[in-house]
Amino acid sequence: MNDQRPAALTPYPISFLDLHLRSGLWAFAQAEKPRIGDHWRKLADQNPKIWNGDVLICTSVVLKDGGLKGDFIKTDYASFVAWRDWGWPDRTVCNVFGSAAVLSADKAVLYGRMAGHTLNAGKVYPPGGSLEMKDVTSDGRVDVMGSITRELEEETGLKAADAARGELLAIFDEHRVSVAQVFHFAEPAEALAARVRHYLHSAHEDELSDIEIITQASRFDSTMPYAIALARYLTGT
């Protein structure tokens, strides 16, 4: 991973994304394959609803010329989870992912609280998800924006087309890089939250258990530093 990284937990406005899937195998996943398998089986025994599929891990990322440039390789979710659970032992990679920053007309931010059947149960952060092979275009480009708009609708029922797009931001955490697209909705926070809760109550196997309204006065309990930095940036705190 590129050593010349910007200051951590500072949202940087960016004007473009230049992200690509490359060939190759993740050395960590290959070397630790038996131990990763054991780890995943234990997790699956505790929570049979978790899935293991192909995801993307970032091998290099840098802010350059006003945009975010990076390369990815394919791995599986079990390897990613083991890497995370074991304290990020491979420092040559990081998790780059998309975040939908929902901003209401009264300047509140809406985050999701993860449902109990997920591996991130109870955690609070923007709608989003791991990049997958379906986010890779035919020419090898990693379509983070497509992932963001899809995850926004799948998790909350809100549609990107119903909002005005604001800033595109990159937030570097120690082992994560959040690509956050700001969506300005014309409704106040309580009305938006009511829409999302209605969707959650009617959706099947939803990823979120609730929606959280974050304002300048909120006591924000996210365990995700990038999510705290983004909320503070958007609410002006």
Side-chain angles (χ1 to χ4, degrees), residues 21 26 57 64 73 83 114 119 124 144 186 200 219 226:
L21 178 67
W26 188 11
I57 193 78
K64 188 174 181 180
I73 55 175
W83 173 68
M114 296 300 291
L119 282 179
V124 176
V144 177
L200 295 179
R219 294 183 61 188
Y226 81 88

Side-chain angles (χ1 to χ4, degrees), residues 102-130:
V102 177
L103 196 61
S104 67
D106 47 354
K107 307 304 180 185
V109 180
L110 271 66
Y111 279 3
R113 183 175 294 277
M114 296 300 291
H117 63 81
T118 69
L119 282 179
N120 294 310
K123 293 185 177 180
V124 176
Y125 46 74
S130 299

